[in-house]
């Protein structure tokens, strides 16, 4: 079976994707520098699939190390590139760190892929490229809006770099996957999200509050023009998201792509408000959550959810798991890691 490089493969979405790739028989090599993950994730993956993926601790900012990696593994057929820094707030304070880690590493990888006879490349992009879209649900044709943060900008620039490269490198095929809001954990309870420090995202903040690690959840604003006044997002189960990567990769490996560079939204198509997520948590866990409504947070958009038609029709992929499934799995995971 083809050998696939997964960068950032010990991270949240990467680890779940490695499991799905191994389940489909691919030989997986992980590169991760452990800057936002733990080596124990490798054991979690191995416990689920029964097969330890190859792992190389490499910082992709080290160009020479990336070159040497591809000299050792010149039979790589595809790359799924998750490795990046992802904290929006931190990116505002440390823009150069974000441009170096998210753009520099991408360029080094593409330079190596250019040398291969053929290469398939999947890029982790984000719905942040749409900003507050003018129309909902958001299709792939919605205009890319001025980025709100250096992090968001790295995803926009990253997409442009890949598109421009695909135009002139015929042996390179690429797909940018624009994720909506990934949540949840593997049903086995062996891998999940491991936020370092205070979580930036709603679901880990909820589960950490429920387990007693945080005092209360702040709900930022209840005066938005939405049915209950809180912001709306499209929460997608990380296992559904991981499976979409395998489908997208196969599309490229089997030459089923229509263009050398394509983009797809990955979401459920359903928006849920912050209060609906809190309610879902209380329902599946049977626990009351301590939360309070506070003022709006700067930079938050009102509402974003995906039009999933292109991914459904062209990739033949659909989400199967519900918000309740995701929240229950995240809650089990939280109890396991703090237990
Ligand atoms: N989680 C989300 O909400 C979300 C939403 C949209 C897009 N994304 C994108 O998806 C990708 C994966 O996100 P995630 O939530 O799994 O993040 P994560 O932080 O859990 O995983 C990223 C992994 O990359 C590794 N890494 C970072 N810089 C590296 C470097 N220079 N060299 C080698 N390894 C490096 C980290 O150690 C980590 O294990 C990122 O590109 C992120 O921007 C995430």
């Amino acid at each position: 079976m083809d050998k696939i490089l997964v960068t950032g493969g010990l991270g949240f979405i990467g680890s779940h994707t490695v499991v799905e790739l191994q389940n489909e028989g691919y030989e997986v090599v992980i590169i991760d520098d452990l800057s936002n993950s733990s080596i124990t994730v490798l054991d979690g993956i191995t416990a689920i699939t029964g097969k330890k993926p190859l792992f190389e601790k490499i910082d992709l900012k080290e160009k020479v190390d990336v070159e040497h990696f591809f000299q050792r593994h010149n039979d790589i057929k595809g790359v799924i590139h998750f490795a990046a820094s992802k904290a929006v707030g931190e990116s505002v304070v440390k823009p150069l760190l974000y441009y170096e880690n998210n753009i520099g590493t991408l360029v080094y990888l593409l330079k190596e892929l250019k040398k291969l006879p053929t290469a398939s490349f999947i890029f982790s992009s984000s719905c942040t490229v749409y900003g507050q879209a003018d129309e909902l649900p958001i299709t792939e044709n919605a205009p890319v809006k001025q980025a709100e943060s250096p992090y968001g900008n790295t995803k926009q620039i990253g997409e442009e770099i890949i598109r421009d490269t695909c135009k002139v490198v015929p042996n390179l095929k690429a797909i940018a996957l624009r994720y909506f809001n990934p949540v949840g954990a593997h049903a086995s309870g062996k891998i999940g999200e491991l936020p370092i420090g205070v979580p930036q995202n709603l679901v880990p903040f909820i589960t950490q509050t429920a387990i007693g690690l945080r005092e209360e959840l702040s709900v930022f604003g209840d005066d938005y023009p939405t049915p209950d006044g809180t912001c709306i997002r499209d929460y997608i189960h990380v296992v559904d998201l991981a499976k979409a990567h395998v489908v997208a990769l196969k599309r490229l490996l089997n030459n089923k792509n229509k263009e050398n560079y394509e983009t797809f939204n990955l979401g459920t198509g359903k928006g849920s408000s912050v209060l609906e997520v809190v309610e879902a948590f209380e329902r599946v866990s049977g626990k009351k959550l301590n939360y309070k409504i506070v003022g709006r947070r700067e930079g938050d958009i009102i509402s974003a959810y995906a039009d999933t038609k292109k991914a459904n029709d062209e990739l033949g992929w659909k989400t199967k798991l519900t918000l309740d499934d995701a929240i229950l799995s995240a809650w089990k995971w939280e109890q396991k890691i703090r237990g």
Side-chain angles (χ1 to χ4, degrees):
M1 236 351 205
D2 290 331
K3 193 196 257 191
I4 308 300
L5 165 63
V6 181
T7 76
L10 295 186
F12 173 41
I13 308 168
S15 57
H16 290 82
T17 303
V18 169
V19 165
E20 298 304 324
L21 285 167
Q22 287 192 314
N23 284 345
E24 293 278 315
Y26 289 100
E27 186 188 351
V28 178
V29 192
I30 294 173
I31 286 183
D32 204 300
D33 67 352
L34 304 177
S35 57
N36 200 35
S37 53
S38 158
I39 190 68
T40 58
V41 176
L42 203 54
D43 300 329
I45 294 170
T46 312
I48 297 170
T49 63
K51 192 171 178 241
K52 194 170 189 153
L54 290 176
F55 169 66
E56 297 213 16
K57 183 172 184 287
I58 291 174
D59 178 351
L60 292 164
K61 294 195 291 302
E62 301 297 331
K63 185 171 182 244
V64 174
D65 292 349
V66 177
E67 282 169 8
H68 289 165
F69 173 86
F70 278 92
Q71 282 160 13
R72 288 194 301 281
H73 298 276
N74 59 7
D75 52 348
I76 295 273
K77 291 290 185 298
V79 177
I80 307 185
H81 181 40
F82 292 104
S85 303
K86 64 166 183 178
V88 175
E90 185 188 46
S91 79
V92 176
V93 185
K94 299 177 183 167
L96 291 179
L97 188 148
Y98 276 68
Y99 287 116
E100 185 182 25
N101 204 33
N102 296 7
I103 302 295
T105 59
L106 173 65
V107 172
Y108 300 157
L109 280 173
L110 291 175
K111 279 190 158 181
E112 293 309 307
L113 296 190
K114 195 171 165 236
K115 297 177 193 163
L116 299 177
T118 172
S120 299
F121 187 72
I122 308 286
F123 178 63
S124 292
S125 190
S126 166
C127 67
T128 63
V129 301
Y130 300 119
Q132 179 57 70
D134 302 324
E135 283 173 39
L136 295 168
I138 304 172
T139 72
E140 288 79 353
N141 294 327
V144 167
K145 294 255 178 92
Q146 168 94 47
E148 297 264 353
S149 68
Y151 167 75
N153 209 21
T154 65
K155 294 300 171 190
Q156 297 190 3
I157 298 170
E159 287 196 7
E160 286 170 9
I161 291 171
I162 300 164
R163 190 196 58 211
D164 291 347
T165 309
C166 283
K167 272 188 202 152
V168 292
V169 181
N171 52 333
L172 179 66
K173 296 168 279 180
I175 291 179
L177 297 174
R178 294 172 174 165
Y179 314 155
F180 279 66
N181 293 72
V183 288
H186 197 264
S188 65
K190 297 190 188 310
I191 53 172
E193 194 166 4
L194 281 172
I196 294 177
V198 181
Q200 308 281 316
N201 295 333
L202 178 61
V203 172
F205 208 104
I206 288 178
T207 56
Q208 287 196 3
T209 306
I211 207 118
L213 209 64
R214 315 263 155 224
E215 208 172 305
E216 64 186 354
L217 168 77
S218 295
V219 175
F220 298 109
D222 67 349
D223 56 353
Y224 286 98
T226 61
D228 66 19
T230 63
C231 292
I232 290 179
R233 298 287 180 273
D234 183 341
Y235 296 94
I236 174 171
H237 198 302
V238 66
V239 171
D240 276 331
L241 186 67
K243 288 183 198 267
H245 288 76
V246 182
V247 173
L249 180 72
K250 279 188 183 165
R251 176 180 175 90
L252 297 182
L253 293 172
N254 299 330
N255 294 312
K256 293 283 192 298
N257 50 310
K258 291 197 175 145
E259 317 268 348
N260 264 16
Y261 170 67
E262 298 176 312
T263 54
F264 290 97
N265 284 343
L266 295 182
T268 65
K270 187 181 174 308
S272 305
S273 72
V274 176
L275 290 182
E276 281 172 337
V277 176
V278 170
E279 273 163 31
F281 174 79
E282 291 184 336
R283 187 172 55 244
V284 300
S285 68
K287 271 179 89 80
K288 278 266 15 96
L289 190 78
N290 200 14
Y291 73 90
K292 70 164 184 237
I293 309 282
V294 299
R296 291 183 179 194
R297 182 172 61 177
E298 208 189 323
D300 273 345
I301 55 161
I302 305 163
S303 185
Y305 49 95
D307 185 318
T308 60
K309 190 172 182 337
K310 187 176 176 201
N312 295 164
D313 294 355
E314 295 259 335
L315 289 180
W317 164 89
K318 256 195 171 74
T319 55
K320 293 205 174 86
L321 300 162
T322 63
L323 179 65
D324 281 13
D325 293 330
I327 293 187
L328 186 59
S329 64
W331 177 229
K332 281 191 182 156
W333 170 247
E334 187 71 61
Q335 289 169 290
K336 189 191 158 204
I337 54 176
R338 315 282 164 203

